[in-house]
Amino acid sequence: MKFLSCFITLLCTAGIALSAEPAIDKFHKFQSLSRYAPIDLDDTVYDELTSAPRDYYVAILLTALEARYGCILCREFQSEWELIAKSWNKANQPDGIKLLFGTLDFSNGRNTFQKLMLQTAPIVLLFPPTVGPSATLDGAPVRFDFSG
């Protein structure tokens, strides 16, 4: 009788597990958001996108587009950044390379700018994978600063 009870419990658990919708991994979730342009980020989405474990690259433009910040270079670079992201998403990517593009504007990501101690823009951060064959040990981003 005890065996039958355990067997029924096991069947119910397996049925629930199999009927549940499969979890979408982070890369595919964000890839669906970036089909035509870089992903518009805020502090929360930035943290989720760049958090480990990550089996993909992330290229993020940190910018300050509002006129009150006076970043002319930010506005000039923005259209080129969007063109690069759009071209990458349309092209056939090399095998095994997964790359997402995002843009974090200062008005949407003040906390991230403060956490990174940034006082200038535009800056591009390239986050390497933290797991998989292309992973780096520390997962620290490569920084490209265009203001200096």
Side-chain angles (χ1 to χ4, degrees):
M1 194 64 157
K2 191 173 184 175
F3 174 74
L4 184 60
S5 172
C6 289
F7 183 71
I8 292 172
T9 304
L10 180 64
L11 283 177
C12 290
T13 306
I16 292 170
L18 292 174
S19 68
E21 189 174 316
I24 300 172
D25 68 25
K26 276 195 310 185
F27 177 77
H28 289 100
K29 173 185 169 186
F30 286 111
Q31 186 183 37
S32 68
L33 297 173
S34 67
R35 297 247 185 248
Y36 305 105
I39 303 164
D40 287 326
L41 306 175
D42 59 20
D43 289 324
T44 306
V45 178
Y46 172 89
D47 289 339
E48 183 181 355
L49 186 61
T50 60
S51 66
R54 185 179 58 248
D55 67 344
Y56 52 88
Y57 290 89
V58 182
I60 297 178
L61 172 64
L62 302 163
T63 190
L65 294 172
E66 289 185 24
R68 65 182 169 159
Y69 302 124
C71 184
I72 297 168
L73 187 55
C74 292
R75 286 182 290 222
E76 290 176 356
F77 191 69
Q78 182 67 31
S79 61
E80 299 299 322
W81 180 250
E82 290 175 358
L83 180 62
I84 292 168
K86 187 176 183 179
S87 297
W88 174 267
N89 290 332
K90 283 178 131 181
N92 292 330
Q93 285 82 24
D95 290 335
I97 296 181
K98 298 193 294 190
L99 173 63
L100 296 171
F101 288 87
T103 302
L104 179 62
D105 191 75
F106 180 74
S107 59
N108 298 326
R110 292 184 201 287
N111 293 334
T112 300
F113 274 73
Q114 289 173 352
K115 182 172 57 174
L116 297 173
M117 296 183 284
L118 298 178
Q119 296 180 0
T120 62
I123 294 173
V124 172
L125 297 177
L126 178 63
F127 290 84
T130 59
V131 296
S134 300
T136 60
L137 292 176
D138 61 358
V142 178
R143 178 178 167 160
F144 300 95
D145 191 339
F146 298 97
S147 62

